[in-house]
Structure formats: structure tokens, C-alpha cells
Amino acid sequence: MKTLVVYESQTGFTQQYALWIARRLHCPLVDRAFLTPQEMSTCDLLIYGGHVSSRGVSGFRTLWRRFGAQLPDALVVFGTGMLGQEQIDCDRIRARTFRGFPMQPQFFYFRGTIEPADVPLRFKWRVHINRRKQPKETPLTDINAVRPLLEAVQLMQDTMGEPDLDDLS
């Protein structure tokens, strides 16, 4: 199964999660802005990541409009944001992201952290507001954060008869 990880990142932590996933799966990593039809036509499993907003996972609907006919049946989507898992309505995000989409891909949410000094000026107000809403516990900021997604991919590969990934630990 040829896997491709595609992401859209504005502040860098979606890119970091995508990088961890691609490294673990030993597969290519592509920014959505640079994705080509050739790359899409050769993948059997697409993992897409973007920032979670009130409209869903950023960039997914654009990806779908651009590459709809080429999207593989095996699709996993993850979203990132500054809020904790308990503050996010994943069902609402799924509904908004996949509205009109012919299937319901697996969806994962990962909380990220950001240094306010590293944020582009146009996002600073959002960071300031969201920091007040953040839970006090520290989010996972290593490969363990993406473990649920990696396990889901492993299960997909097992059901399709693919060889196992290395130990996920």
C-alpha cells in the first residue's frame, strides 16, 4: 500500500504532526500547495492533516475539489488545534469537513502548542484568545501523540494484507 501524507500548516504544528506520521510510515510528505496529480494518482492511502476551524479541517474541501476523482478509498484525516480534546466537538468537525463527501474517513484530532512569538502577526489575536481557553495540562508533543492514527493505519494495512509496520513504540 503506497501511502502519502499531505498537510496544510499555517503555524507549523500540523506540519510537525505530519512529519512524525510520514517518518514512522516511511512515506512521502507533501504540502497541499505543492501536491501534483501524479502523486495523487499513485497513492493507495492518503493521510491528510490541517488546522481545525469552525468550518472543519482546513484545506480538505479544496483538496477534494481539486483531486476528487483521484482520492483513494483509503483515507485518514487529522486536524490540529490549540484546544484540548475535551473542548473539541469531533462529530461537528467531521460533519462540516466531510459534508457531501461520498465516504466518512477516519478522523483524529491532535492538540498542538505554539510559541506566541513564532506566530505570524495575523494570527496573534487568535492565539491570545485560545491560550486563555486552553487546559493547563501539557499536550503530547512527540511521536506518541500520533499513536492512535498509526494504529488505525496499521489496522487498515492488516485488513488489506499488507506487512506490519515496525513496532510502534
Side-chain angles (χ1 to χ4, degrees), residues 104-141:
Q104 289 295 307
Q106 290 189 59
F107 173 74
F108 297 88
Y109 175 78
F110 304 125
R111 180 174 166 216
T113 60
I114 193 162
E115 290 300 321
D118 297 336
V119 177
L121 185 59
R122 67 183 187 271
F123 297 121
K124 284 194 185 283
W125 67 272
R126 226 183 296 170
V127 170
H128 176 71
I129 290 169
N130 285 336
R131 280 184 97 71
R132 293 185 307 178
K133 297 179 187 177
Q134 282 184 337
K136 298 301 178 207
E137 77 274 0
T138 305
L140 291 174
T141 55

Side-chain angles (χ1 to χ4, degrees):
M1 178 182 280
K2 183 168 185 218
T3 303
L4 178 64
V5 177
V6 177
Y7 70 93
E8 176 178 288
S9 184
Q10 297 175 356
T11 57
F13 60 82
T14 303
Q15 180 182 24
Q16 182 61 57
Y17 284 115
L19 181 61
W20 287 330
I21 293 165
R23 281 184 179 163
R24 188 69 195 111
L25 298 175
H26 308 287
C27 66
L29 173 68
V30 180
D31 185 311
R32 184 184 61 80
F34 302 108
L35 184 62
T36 66
Q38 295 80 6
E39 289 167 318
M40 281 300 298
S41 66
T42 60
C43 78
D44 301 313
L45 168 62
L46 177 68
I47 300 171
Y48 179 80
H51 178 73
V52 169
S53 73
S54 61
R55 294 183 303 262
V57 177
S58 66
F60 180 78
R61 296 189 73 75
T62 303
L63 178 82
W64 177 24
R65 280 192 299 272
R66 184 170 175 211
F67 297 107
Q70 295 174 303
L71 287 177
D73 291 335
L75 179 62
V76 175
V77 176
F78 71 91
T80 62
M82 291 179 54
L83 300 178
Q85 181 79 35
E86 67 283 350
Q87 296 173 291
I88 296 294
D89 184 352
C90 286
D91 291 332
R92 184 174 172 204
I93 294 167
R94 279 186 198 94
R96 289 187 175 189
T97 302
F98 308 127
R99 182 182 46 244
F101 195 68
M103 62 179 167
Q104 289 295 307
Q106 290 189 59
F107 173 74
F108 297 88
Y109 175 78
F110 304 125
R111 180 174 166 216
T113 60
I114 193 162
E115 290 300 321
D118 297 336
V119 177
L121 185 59
R122 67 183 187 271
F123 297 121
K124 284 194 185 283
W125 67 272
R126 226 183 296 170
V127 170
H128 176 71
I129 290 169
N130 285 336
R131 280 184 97 71
R132 293 185 307 178
K133 297 179 187 177
Q134 282 184 337
K136 298 301 178 207
E137 77 274 0
T138 305
L140 291 174
T141 55
D142 61 10
I143 191 84
N144 289 317
V146 296
R147 182 175 302 280
L149 186 146
L150 295 173
E151 290 170 351
V153 167
Q154 179 66 58
L155 185 61
M156 291 172 80
Q157 290 177 334
D158 288 347
T159 59
M160 299 179 100
E162 294 292 322
D164 287 345
L165 294 173
D166 298 335
D167 178 38
L168 291 175
S169 56

